[in-house]
Amino acid sequence: MADAVELGPHLGDLVDHHCHGILTTDLDRAAFEGLMNEAVRASPLGTTLFDSTLGWAIRRHCAPVLGLEPLVPADDYLARRAELGGREASRRLMAAARIGTLLVDTGLGPGELTSMAELADLAGGTAREIVRLERLAEEVLAGGGDFAADVEARLRAARGAGAVGAKSIAAYRVGLELPATKPSVDELDRALEGVDAARLVDPTVSGWLAHTAVEIGLPLQFHVGYGDSDLDLLDCDPLRLTAFLRATQDRGVPVLLLHNWPYHRQAAYLAQVFDHVFMDLGLTTHNTGALSTGVLRETLELVPFGKLLFSSDAYGLAELYLLGALLFRRSLSTVLGELVTEGEATREDAAYVAGLVARENARRVYAL
Ligand SMILES: [Zn+2]
C-alpha cells in the first residue's frame, strides 16, 4: 500500500510558487462556477462544470472542510458555503491547504481579489511577489517616458522591494516562439510604435521583456500549455521556447515552465536537458482532480527531481488552493510510495524527493 510509506510529514509545509488572489465575497452558483476553471461560460449549453473531475473533487475534498459529508450535491455544498459566508469558508479552506509560503502573481486584478497580505493572512503563511512583465510594461507605456529604461528600473525596484521573480504571459499574446537574441532598443522602439498600449501584443516586445528579466537576474516564469480560449494552445508548446532557452542557459537564471498540460512531457524533457529549466503542474492538478496522479506519473518519467516544483495556480476560489495542495500531496505520495513498495527506491529516497518538490526546490530557485 502506498500510504504505508508515510510521506505526510515531508509534505506538510508547502511553497506555492505560482498563485493568485481569491474572492472572499459571497458567490452564487453562477459566480462560483464562473471561477472553477477558464471556460468562458459557467454553464456551457446547459451543462454544469460540477460534472467534471474538478467538480467531483470539490464535493469530495472541500465539503468535509466546511463540515459536510464527502460528495454532498453541489447545491448543498454551495448552500453551506453561503451559510458560512465567503470569508469564513475561504479561511477554512486556505488553512486546510497548509501552504506556508505563497509566491503571488500580482498581474491579475486587484479589483475584488485579495491582496498579497490578505492572502498570506488567510493561509497563515507569508507571501512574496512575482511581477507580471506585460502588466508592468503596459503601465510604463501608459506613463510615457523612456520605455526600456523605465521597465528595467521598475524591475530592479520591484526586486529591491522583495519581488522574487517575473512572469511572462507571452503564450497569451504571441505564443512561445521568442527570439534567441534580445531585440535592440531600436527594434523595440519600432515595435512599440504599432502596439495597442492597453494590451501589448508583439513578439519583439515579448522577447525583449523576457530577455530583460533574465539579464536582471529575476527567475522567469512562463505560462505554458492550457489556459483560457484567449490563447492558441498549438503555440504554447514549450518546445517552441527551445531557441530562447539555448540562448539563456549560460546566465544561470532559472526559467520556470508553469501548468504545462498537455505538454507536461515536453516540459519534463526541457527540464532534463537545460540546466536552468524547472516546471510545475499548477492548474493541471486541480483541473484533473482524482486523475491528477496520472499526469504526475507521466511527468516523473523524465523530470529530474530537483527540477519539479509545487504550485496550485489557484485563482478566485479558495477551493482551488485546497485541491491543488491536497491532490499534489496525494498524487506524489501515491507515485513515490508505489516505487518504494516495488523496491525501486528506499523510503529515505522518497522522503528526500517529497521535501525537494514540496518546498526545497522553490527555496533554492527563488533564494527564499
Ligand atoms: Zn496563474
Side-chain angles (χ1 to χ4, degrees):
M1 284 296 291
D3 58 1
V5 177
E6 262 311 322
L7 292 175
H10 308 283
L11 292 168
D13 179 29
L14 300 179
V15 175
D16 187 344
H17 90 111
H18 172 64
C19 56
H20 305 272
I22 58 168
L23 290 171
T24 56
T25 47
D26 295 344
L27 303 169
D28 63 17
R29 180 158 180 158
F32 187 92
E33 287 202 42
L35 291 166
M36 280 172 68
N37 67 15
E38 309 206 26
V40 175
R41 280 177 240 292
S43 308
L45 296 180
T47 65
T48 165
L49 295 182
F50 272 100
D51 290 344
S52 65
T53 47
L54 170 59
W56 286 5
I58 289 172
R59 291 172 45 227
R60 169 64 184 85
H61 298 292
C62 300
V65 176
L66 302 192
L68 300 169
E69 289 297 316
L71 296 171
V72 292
D75 280 334
D76 293 6
Y77 179 79
L78 293 172
R80 174 62 177 158
R81 198 183 199 279
E83 182 188 13
L84 287 169
R87 182 155 192 95
E88 173 59 16
S90 299
R91 192 192 60 73
R92 292 189 187 193
L93 292 159
M94 293 287 292
R98 292 181 290 131
I99 297 170
T101 307
L102 303 101
L103 307 189
V104 184
D105 172 0
T106 52
L108 288 171
E112 292 178 305
L113 289 180
T114 49
S115 67
M116 282 207 310
E118 289 172 303
L119 206 54
D121 186 50
L122 285 165
T126 55
R128 304 288 295 273
E129 185 180 16
I130 301 287
V131 182
R132 188 180 286 206
L133 293 172
E134 289 77 3
R135 183 183 169 99
L136 181 144
E138 284 156 4
E139 287 171 3
V140 167
L141 204 54
D146 182 335
F147 180 84
D150 290 353
V151 167
E152 286 177 22
R154 287 190 51 170
L155 282 176
R156 289 183 205 281
R159 187 171 59 179
V164 294
K167 180 187 175 194
S168 164
I169 55 163
Y172 273 93
R173 302 295 173 85
V174 297
L176 290 175
E177 206 158 320
L178 297 181
T181 48
K182 184 181 179 183
S184 69
V185 173
D186 279 353
E187 289 169 322
L188 176 68
D189 287 344
R190 245 175 285 133
L192 286 169
E193 282 169 18
V195 297
D196 172 0
R199 192 170 187 279
L200 276 174
V201 181
D202 184 276
T204 302
V205 178
S206 286
W208 185 87
L209 288 169
H211 278 282
T212 299
V214 171
E215 276 182 11
I216 287 175
L218 281 166
L220 177 59
Q221 302 178 342
F222 278 101
H223 176 102
V224 176
Y226 80 137
D228 60 40
S229 61
D230 259 3
L231 61 73
D232 292 321
L233 189 52
L234 265 179
D235 297 330
C236 300
D237 183 331
L239 296 180
R240 291 182 185 267
L241 275 174
T242 301
F244 177 87
L245 296 174
R246 197 174 284 132
T248 53
Q249 72 172 332
D250 288 343
R251 288 187 176 274
V253 176
V255 171
L256 300 112
L257 310 177
L258 308 179
H259 325 323
N260 293 303
W261 188 93
Y263 303 119
H264 47 285
R265 282 176 151 153
Q266 284 90 330
Y269 159 78
L270 291 169
Q272 184 187 67
V273 299
F274 287 110
D275 291 353
H276 64 326
V277 173
F278 297 78
M279 68 174 293
D280 74 19
L281 293 173
L283 191 64
T284 302
T285 303
H286 65 250
N287 265 296
T288 51
L291 304 180
S292 56
T293 307
V295 183
L296 180 73
R297 186 178 280 114
E298 290 181 347
T299 302
L300 286 173
E301 290 167 354
L302 218 56
V303 69
F305 302 138
K307 296 294 196 80
L308 181 64
L309 277 68
F310 164 71
S311 92
S312 65
D313 195 23
Y315 164 77
L317 298 176
E319 278 82 353
L320 305 182
Y321 274 101
L322 176 64
L323 291 180
L326 185 151
L327 295 167
F328 161 76
R329 288 187 175 105
R330 197 175 74 165
S331 57
L332 193 61
S333 293
T334 299
V335 178
L336 294 178
E338 285 169 6
L339 293 172
V340 172
T341 303
E342 290 161 9
E344 302 292 342
T346 67
R347 284 162 196 269
E348 292 71 28
D349 291 331
Y352 168 67
V353 170
L356 285 183
V357 181
R359 69 197 144 264
E360 298 307 331
N361 289 338
R363 286 181 180 160
R364 173 167 27 84
V365 165
Y366 296 99
L368 298 177

